[in-house]
Amino acid sequence: MKYLSSLAFARSLDRKDPLRKFRQQFLIPKFNGKPSIYLCGNSLGLEPRSARKYLLEELKDWADLGVEGHVHGRRPWLYYHHLTKKPLAQLLGAKPSEVVAMNQLTVNLHLMMTTFYRPTPQRFKILTEAGAFSSDQYAVESQIRLHGLDPASTLIEISTRPGEHTLHTEDIVTAIRDHGPQLALVLFGGVQYYSGQFFDLKSITAAGHAVGAFVGFDLAHAAGNVPLNLHKDGVDFAVWCSYKYLNSGPGSIAGAFVHERHASGQLPRMAGWWGHHEKDRFKMRKGFIPMPGVDGWQLSNFPVLSGAAHLASLEIFQAAGVRALRRKSVQLTGYLEYLLNDIDADHRYYTLITPRNPDERGCQISILMNHRNGHGVFKKITRLGVIADWREPDVIRVAPVPLYNSFEDVFRFVDLFSKSL
Ligand SMILES: *Cc1c(COP(=O)(O)O)cnc(C)c1O
């Protein structure tokens, strides 16, 4: 598509946007009485108007029914998580039996590693991306130590080539082959939180399996942002959170995927009563019999209040459709990239470190500020009503989200940004 740098052009794209009505379904924070330019859905997605209704319905059932809400509520609490399966399966490219909403992201990462990281003297290494999100680093290192091993000799971190900001799939695959028989687990992000790079899940998974390792992904920045095919790609496990692109509210319930080939219930795990077979969960007998599929990794009963906001949001994704969202996302981010390149063609002020190929990114563009006043620029745009985010040491991340951001948002942002340089 040919883009133009004008407000009129941005508005013409908005008029033609088949998803434009979804913006009205979200509450956009105000700045001086007008909607702010919110480009931070990669950090905390906006509140769907329907979230309040869904929450109030559960509060009402609690008030009216007390404990009987578990069975007689309008959405019986005992089975509430079933309602999230179909929409989650669509978003993740999985079967409903392969996905479950549960716990928090880092908790789920630990649960999955307990199952899929079982080091032996021959096969004990974990391969991951250098500069992974802090929580993932802490989780992985602590898991390694729990097994009595030393992260320095156990954890392989793949770095970018000198002077580059993103990884080459071929470098990842080569490293996997190099460590081959010693590799127990390949654990990667789906979309890198800092650079915005969308990794090639299929190739990474195939390379890991070829050397006999398990392969898992942290999809915190991928779920609800990029098309995923976890089942077809053969990924062993994945985890994600729901408060970023999935718009389910601060600290809301996270999710996990385990591939159907591990469904039988043979794999060791941490167990709890909600993972026990549903048909006799309440017999409270000795002897854990796991639910088949990922449901067998559940520990606790479902947190209905955060789950209600999650369900409200997932239904919006279903209404919009994964394909239509991706189509708009590619256009919207393409427009952002075009405008940013237009105002600083020779990269005097900044460098865009996110891959240029739309297949290798989601909606986020990471702007590496070339001068020391990068943080000053960030503060200026914030004072002008832009909500974006700053990542140490020198990156401004902006993420136009196809569900609620407009081409006009993108145009206005770049206009204010260029005036702040
Ligand atoms: C946001 C994010 C987290 C946050 O973890 P929580 O357990 O949800 O607090 C962890 N890892 C990655 C990659 C993230 O993007």
Side-chain angles (χ1 to χ4, degrees), residues 164-239:
E164 297 188 6
H165 302 283
T166 51
L167 290 169
H168 296 250
T169 304
E170 108 192 47
D171 292 355
I172 302 169
V173 168
T174 303
I176 291 173
R177 282 195 197 127
D178 287 349
H179 293 278
Q182 292 189 319
L183 212 50
L185 174 65
V186 177
L187 178 67
F188 249 76
V191 171
Q192 223 282 342
Y193 83 97
Y194 189 77
S195 68
Q197 179 176 17
F198 178 20
F199 295 116
D200 182 345
L201 272 60
K202 190 175 171 189
S203 301
I204 295 172
T205 304
H209 287 169
V211 300
F214 283 126
V215 183
F217 290 92
D218 182 333
L219 302 176
H221 282 264
N225 177 24
V226 289
L228 294 163
N229 287 300
L230 299 185
H231 178 81
K232 259 205 222 139
D233 291 349
V235 170
D236 292 295
F237 72 89
V239 294

Side-chain angles (χ1 to χ4, degrees), residues 92-111:
L92 291 137
K95 298 189 174 180
S97 60
E98 293 174 317
V99 292
V100 72
M102 63 179 188
N103 310 314
Q104 298 284 46
L105 169 58
T106 308
V107 173
N108 288 342
L109 183 55
H110 276 296
L111 290 181

